[in-house]
Amino acid sequence: MKIKFLFIIAFLSFGSIISQTLQTPSQFLGYEIGSRFTRHHKVIDYFKYVSKNSSNVELEKYGETYEHRPLYVSYISSKENILNLENIRKSNLSQTGIIAGDSINKISIVWLSYNVHGNEASSTEAAMLTIYELVTTKQRWLKNTVVIIDPCLNPDGRDRYVNWYQQVKSTPFNINQEGKEHSEPWPGGRPNHYLFDLNRDWAWATQSETAQRIKIYNKWMPHIHVDFHEQGINDPYYFAPAAAPFHEIISDWQRNFQTQIGKNHATYFDREGWLYFTKESFDLLYPSYGDTYPTYMGAIGMTYEQAGHGRAGLGVKTDEGEVLTLKNRAIHHMTTGLSTVEISSSNAVKLNTEFKKFFTNTNATYKSYVLKNNNKDKTRRLKALLDTHQIAYEHTESGSVKGYDYSSLKEEKMSVSLSDIVVHTDQPKGKMVKALFEPVTKLEDSLTYDITAWSLPYAHGFKAIASRNKVNAVLNVKSITIENSTDKSSYAYISKWNSVADATFLGALLKANITPRFSEKPFSIAGKSYQRGTLIILRNDNKNDSFDDKLVAIANKHQRKLFSVKSGFVSAGVDFGSYSVKPINKQNIAVLSGKETSSLSFGEIWHFFETQLHYPITNIDASDFENIKYTNYDVIIIPDGNYKKVLTKENLEKLKQWVQSGGTLIAIGNALMPFANKKEFSLKEKKTNEEKISVDLTPYADRERKNVTKLITGSIFKSLLDPTHPLAFGYGKTYFSLKLGSTSFEYLKKGNNVAYFDETTKTVSGFAGSTAVKKVPKSLLFGEEKLGNGSIIYMVDNPLFRSFWENGKLFVANAVFLLNSDKLD
């Protein structure tokens, strides 16, 4: 007993020594946490300092942002666990079946993610407080727990917010809500460099920060994941348990333990008299959040929301007359973070037991998802996404498969070959496979926080079957590298057109001063048939000695197959000198941005051109729109937004004249509204009789649910296409669109209804309110209004949404490069 007593005294003394020698965040930074915002590099400096001076911490750099700020995680545990970190990691993965092994893991793994939204900035301050407390006063929890802290998921957005705030804040800070320091300028600090919401990107991994984070996340597969956020300045603190709807793959254990965690938090909040709420607003359905993605990977995934956001600054007076300070916000987040570690440590064995059970995937309704490989570029892109998430896939045996057909929406047979893909649910990440691939997501409640449909076969444009039986498959087929060679005796080179990769190739040709053409009609030559949109690169258009070498080098770089022909005389269709074979010139493209513009929509366009097409655009502030010289541009893109003050009668007239002279104007989403119902344009908004009723006698308690009937919350609808129109080149006769709102428009009476919903249209997947859905049949999706020598392209639904709706992107490339591009400079 004496020896044990002396050991306890020695341990407590050791902990006291650590707390005395390790500097607090305030001591290290030279100011009290909450008295100012800490720039990202100083946050990392503190984490490096703690790692260097504590045997309980290991720091790892896992990536870099678009603006070259470093991304780090810290591992915090007992000294013994830190020395055994790799074995703990492997032992945990062996429970999932991801790696072989039968070791029993008794260590809980808790991952705390801070500041995914840059202007929700208190959480990174809390991260510094949390790591200090863990390695000084809470070491007893670390004996059986590894805590992983990512102090800032979005450094670019955070520093954008912090730098702005430091420039405009008052000293001392002003608590008046009307003060400038409480009103961020566009685009705000919430998004990353490309203005994407990183908390909607976990499953799609379109952003560099996400892809790098997913890689390290999947190396660990934690049991608990917390995503720290902020909400409006008047809202109490929110923590788990979450609200309905819950996705059906979420286990009873995951739901119940969320409640246990919430009760643990409540003991601390009750003691301090802090307000909080649970089970409201924040559901667990959409798979690409920082709570749902980990949940579908077996963790207890949770969102914690502190009042604050970009309006709060260092301090702000709420509507209830209280002063909300950064210091208090950080302390609240520190409290829930520590409480999460505490209860995880107390339940380490149970966490591991239930975590292992999650990866049994024998009861899925659909055993295999089969995708037809009609487009190798789409297949490569889908495989890359699956590889990112370490989801296994194989190739089908030749024959046929039967199951739910994603196109016909009923049981069908589909012939398959060795090139087609099959993804099974009987694999470690089978529940995530179900969430991403299932044709229709089960929705227990229509009151949800985000889109309700996202199935990958629709998003990526695949003909697919969901089979109730496991489909026979073979190992992956080896890909073939394309190696073109020059043919200097050729009359022309030919290249296909049916993917974004083809558009990227086209952009590279134009930047290299190679002039291609495209055929508006199908043709056959030299024993091969080619579809509308096919690129034809004529020697006569490119009279220079390096033409062949330059073209072949670009084609090989982009892995585009070139077919050389000796003549322009075709065996069927139109010859290469036909008017229907049109030149494609360089396009000067302007995109509107600024406070009138949806930052998300602008970011999607910016990201698409810069990272996928690799083609330059000019970013123009919408407030300067009336002063720009339109004739400098061939294409003007107006993202989703509210342009009432910009697209005035005078500016609309200027735009109309520019279009008539040969310009292409592309309007997306709500950007269509300034053109609607005006005699100068053909676009007419569609209304229902219900919307014309002026009196609403719905009881107050029922109004939220009544209003849902007027909404479409990200649902999939099947549209019809005119594949003979250049806007639809590369597509078939149908297109599945993700409809994000209830606004609908009538068919164009003067123009081309290129994509539209006919009278039989109904919801394919997701929720659509009973009133809103009535407007979808016989409505426009994508249309062209010809004005003189140019066009206005109306895109009712956003084909670039979050950059994950891959099958919509070629429409944008078609609009930019294949419409009005042949006009003379």
Side-chain angles (χ1 to χ4, degrees):
M1 287 294 293
K2 184 176 181 181
I3 294 174
K4 184 176 180 180
F5 176 76
L6 290 173
F7 174 78
I8 293 172
I9 293 295
F11 177 79
L12 293 175
S13 299
F14 179 68
S16 177
I17 291 170
I18 292 175
S19 64
Q20 291 173 10
T21 58
L22 190 69
Q23 290 183 331
T24 66
S26 296
Q27 290 169 336
F28 179 84
L29 297 168
Y31 54 86
E32 184 181 4
I33 290 291
S35 65
R36 69 172 79 164
F37 287 106
T38 308
R39 287 185 171 90
H40 179 255
H41 74 278
K42 295 294 290 183
V43 175
I44 297 304
D45 286 347
Y46 183 68
F47 272 77
K48 287 180 177 179
Y49 161 76
V50 175
S51 177
K52 184 177 179 180
N53 291 278
S54 172
S55 58
N56 296 102
V57 178
E58 184 174 303
L59 187 67
E60 180 181 356
K61 181 181 178 182
Y62 70 86
E64 188 176 270
T65 70
Y66 285 110
E67 296 175 15
H68 308 296
R69 292 180 176 88
L71 296 165
Y72 280 92
V73 291
S74 276
Y75 305 100
I76 305 106
S77 194
S78 68
K79 180 179 179 180
E80 293 75 17
N81 288 338
I82 291 295
L83 293 173
N84 196 37
L85 210 55
E86 181 62 8
N87 287 332
I88 293 171
R89 184 185 73 82
K90 289 181 177 179
S91 177
N92 182 56
L93 286 186
S94 71
Q95 297 183 118
T96 69
I98 293 172
I99 64 173
D102 56 2
S103 59
I104 299 174
N105 186 53
K106 296 182 179 180
I107 305 294
S108 65
I109 302 173
V110 178
W111 190 304
L112 306 178
S113 290
Y114 298 88
N115 224 157
V116 68
H117 293 147
N119 60 358
E120 298 174 11
S122 70
S123 65
T124 289
E125 310 293 337
M128 292 186 284
L129 296 175
T130 302
I131 191 173
Y132 176 79
E133 290 296 324
L134 286 173
V135 300
T136 56
T137 67
K138 310 299 182 185
Q139 285 202 18
R140 63 189 182 277
W141 298 340
L142 303 180
K143 290 182 179 180
N144 65 349
T145 303
V146 172
V147 181
I148 304 172
I149 289 182
D150 187 332
C152 188
L153 278 66
N154 183 9
D156 293 348
R158 176 182 174 82
D159 274 1
R160 186 187 309 126
Y161 171 73
V162 171
N163 289 336
W164 164 79
Y165 183 82
Q166 304 286 41
Q167 292 168 5
V168 302
K169 77 176 186 69
S170 302
T171 303
F173 59 81
N174 190 328
I175 63 173
N176 187 339
Q177 292 183 25
E178 295 177 348
K180 186 173 183 178
E181 61 200 78
H182 303 298
S183 180
E184 277 185 277
W186 189 94
R190 178 184 176 93
N192 74 337
H193 171 78
Y194 280 111
L195 308 187
F196 273 64
D197 185 335
L198 293 180
N199 191 40
R200 270 78 174 168
D201 193 50
W202 279 74
W204 320 131
T206 68
Q207 301 301 289
S208 175
E209 295 92 342
T210 307
Q212 293 169 102
R213 182 185 346 112
I214 291 296
K215 184 176 182 180
I216 193 170
Y217 184 93
N218 279 285
K219 283 177 60 180
W220 277 93
M221 297 288 286
H223 310 138
I224 303 283
H225 182 268
V226 180
D227 198 18
F228 289 88
H229 285 265
E230 290 191 290
Q231 51 188 334
I233 62 173
N234 297 303
D235 294 316
Y237 198 100
Y238 164 83
F239 49 71
F246 292 84
H247 196 285
E248 61 182 319
I249 63 176
I250 299 173
S251 69
D252 291 341
W253 157 254
Q254 287 174 309
R255 295 177 67 161
N256 293 337
F257 196 66
Q258 277 204 0
T259 301
Q260 293 184 50
I261 292 171
K263 288 180 177 179
N264 202 57
H265 297 345
T267 61
Y268 291 100
F269 275 59
D270 290 344
R271 187 182 304 162
E272 299 294 335
W274 297 335
L275 294 179
Y276 58 90
F277 69 100
T278 66
K279 302 182 288 292
E280 294 181 83
S281 301
F282 303 101
D283 60 74
L284 292 175
L285 183 70
Y286 174 67
S288 204
Y289 282 134
D291 53 10
T292 49
Y293 179 89
T295 298
Y296 300 168
M297 291 292 197
I300 312 296
M302 296 170 291
T303 290
Y304 297 167
E305 295 268 358
Q306 162 64 44
H309 209 270
R311 288 193 65 202
L314 294 179
V316 67
K317 190 174 183 178
T318 69
D319 291 352
E320 294 184 354
E322 296 185 359
V323 177
L324 175 67
T325 66
L326 175 60
K327 179 179 179 180
N328 288 337
R329 290 151 59 197
I331 289 173
H332 295 165
H333 268 331
M334 179 194 72
T335 302
T336 54
L338 292 174
S339 172
T340 303
V341 177
E342 177 187 36
I343 194 168
S344 301
S345 176
S346 300
N347 292 272
V349 173
K350 183 67 171 175
L351 278 169
N352 277 279
T353 301
E354 295 295 335
F355 181 72
K356 185 174 183 178
K357 288 180 183 177
F358 184 88
F359 295 92
T360 300
N361 294 305
T362 56
N363 297 322
T365 301
Y366 295 119
K367 307 300 183 184
S368 299
Y369 297 96
V370 182
L371 297 93
K372 192 72 180 169
N373 182 19
N374 290 331
N375 187 315
K376 293 180 181 179
D377 294 327
K378 290 182 180 179
T379 300
R380 276 192 289 268
R381 188 167 289 278
L382 179 63
K383 284 182 176 180
L385 178 62
L386 297 178
D387 289 341
T388 296
H389 298 299
Q390 297 177 11
I391 292 173
Y393 52 85
E394 297 177 311
H395 286 263
T396 58
E397 294 181 348
S398 296
S400 65
V401 295
K402 183 179 180 181
Y404 180 87
D405 188 300
Y406 284 70
S407 297
S408 68
L409 314 182
K410 61 184 180 181
E411 293 288 313
E412 298 272 9
K413 275 188 176 183
M414 182 175 76
S415 61
V416 293
S417 66
L418 284 173
S419 63
D420 299 326
I421 303 173
V422 59
V423 185
H424 304 299
T425 52
D426 186 14
Q427 61 171 296
K429 295 182 179 176
K431 290 186 174 66
M432 180 59 86
V433 170
K434 171 181 168 60
L436 295 180
F437 282 85
E438 61 186 346
V440 179
T441 300
K442 184 178 179 181
L443 192 63
E444 60 176 305
D445 194 326
S446 57
L447 291 175
T448 182
Y449 197 59
D450 211 283
I451 64 173
T452 54
W454 50 79
S455 181
L456 287 180
Y458 292 126
H460 283 248
F462 279 92
K463 181 174 174 56
I465 291 284
S467 173
R468 295 177 182 270
N469 301 309
K470 188 172 182 178
V471 173
N472 292 333
V474 297
L475 294 177
N476 294 332
V477 178
K478 187 176 180 180
S479 60
I480 299 173
T481 301
I482 294 174
E483 294 185 7
N484 297 291
S485 57
T486 60
D487 181 359
K488 297 189 177 184
S489 64
S490 64
Y491 182 84
Y493 293 90
I494 301 172
S495 184
K496 72 175 184 66
W497 182 266
N498 63 5
S499 75
V500 171
D502 297 325
T504 303
F505 170 57
L506 170 60
L509 294 179
L510 294 174
K511 289 190 294 182
N513 296 315
I514 294 175
T515 300
R517 294 176 181 252
F518 74 99
S519 178
E520 287 191 319
K521 297 182 179 180
F523 65 91
S524 298
I525 190 172
K528 294 183 180 295
S529 297
Y530 299 92
Q531 301 302 312
R532 290 181 172 88
T534 297
L535 299 180
I536 301 169
I537 306 103
L538 294 168
R539 185 173 300 281
N540 188 63
D541 289 334
N542 300 277
K543 297 176 180 178
N544 63 77
D545 294 338
S546 62
F547 161 64
D548 297 88
D549 294 332
K550 191 187 297 185
L551 171 62
V552 167
I554 294 171
N556 287 342
K557 178 182 177 181
H558 291 269
Q559 287 296 282
R560 300 298 91 189
K561 179 64 177 175
L562 296 176
F563 297 93
S564 62
V565 292
K566 306 296 185 183
S567 171
F569 190 91
V570 301
S571 55
V574 294
D575 295 326
F576 291 176
S578 166
Y579 175 76
S580 296
V581 178
K582 296 185 175 181
I584 304 174
N585 296 311
K586 284 184 179 179
Q587 298 293 281
N588 292 318
I589 305 164
V591 182
L592 265 61
S593 65
K595 63 182 180 180
E596 297 82 6
T597 303
S598 160
S599 61
L600 296 173
S601 181
F602 170 78
E604 289 156 1
I605 296 166
W606 182 21
H607 180 263
F608 176 60
F609 278 91
E610 200 157 284
T611 71
Q612 290 192 263
L613 292 186
H614 303 288
Y615 197 83
I617 60 173
T618 299
N619 172 6
I620 293 177
D621 194 302
S623 61
D624 297 329
F625 194 50
E626 63 181 4
N627 299 319
I628 71 166
K629 191 175 182 180
Y630 296 172
T631 54
N632 288 339
Y633 306 100
D634 305 296
V635 179
I636 296 176
I637 303 176
I638 309 180
D640 188 19
N642 183 350
Y643 298 95
K644 186 176 182 180
K645 295 181 180 180
V646 174
L647 295 181
T648 60
K649 184 177 181 180
E650 293 77 13
N651 285 340
L652 283 174
E653 181 59 32
K654 290 179 184 177
L655 270 179
K656 183 179 178 181
Q657 292 176 10
W658 170 79
V659 171
Q660 288 174 329
S661 67
T664 300
L665 180 67
I666 303 170
I668 300 174
N670 287 323
L672 275 66
M673 295 308 297
F675 302 92
N677 309 316
K678 290 184 172 62
K679 62 181 181 179
E680 298 88 351
F681 305 101
S682 297
L683 191 67
K684 306 299 177 187
E685 190 178 1
K686 193 173 183 183
K687 295 284 187 180
T688 64
N689 290 330
E690 288 92 334
E691 291 177 305
K692 298 174 184 177
I693 299 174
S694 58
V695 179
D696 188 352
L697 299 179
T698 304
Y700 177 78
D702 299 331
R703 288 213 164 193
E704 182 180 21
R705 195 161 293 280
K706 173 68 179 298
N707 287 335
V708 170
T709 65
K710 304 174 185 177
L711 303 178
I712 295 178
T713 52
S715 307
I716 299 172
F717 290 82
K718 185 178 183 178
S719 71
L720 301 180
L721 294 181
D722 174 7
T724 68
H725 191 282
L727 187 60
F729 283 176
Y731 290 91
K733 295 182 179 180
T734 60
Y735 168 73
F736 289 89
S737 184
L738 183 66
K739 184 163 283 295
L740 302 168
S742 58
T743 303
S744 293
F745 297 89
E746 297 176 1
Y747 293 154
L748 296 176
K749 293 181 179 178
K750 295 180 180 178
N752 298 301
N753 297 286
V754 182
Y756 57 93
F757 303 105
D758 70 4
E759 64 277 2
T760 66
T761 296
K762 60 182 181 179
T763 312
V764 171
S765 180
F767 174 78
S770 58
T771 299
V773 76
K774 293 177 182 178
K775 295 190 293 182
V776 178
K778 299 179 72 173
S779 70
L780 179 69
L781 175 55
F782 303 138
E784 179 196 29
E785 180 175 1
K786 289 292 293 182
L787 292 174
N789 294 322
S791 306
I792 301 177
I793 305 302
Y794 300 117
M795 293 186 161
V796 180
D797 295 348
N798 180 3
L800 300 179
F801 182 66
R802 291 180 185 167
S803 194
F804 94 93
W805 204 259
E806 292 289 341
N807 200 35
K809 294 176 179 178
L810 188 60
F811 286 115
V812 177
N814 286 344
V816 169
F817 293 116
L818 304 189
L819 297 176
N820 312 308
S821 178
D822 59 334
K823 61 182 179 293
L824 296 175
D825 293 332

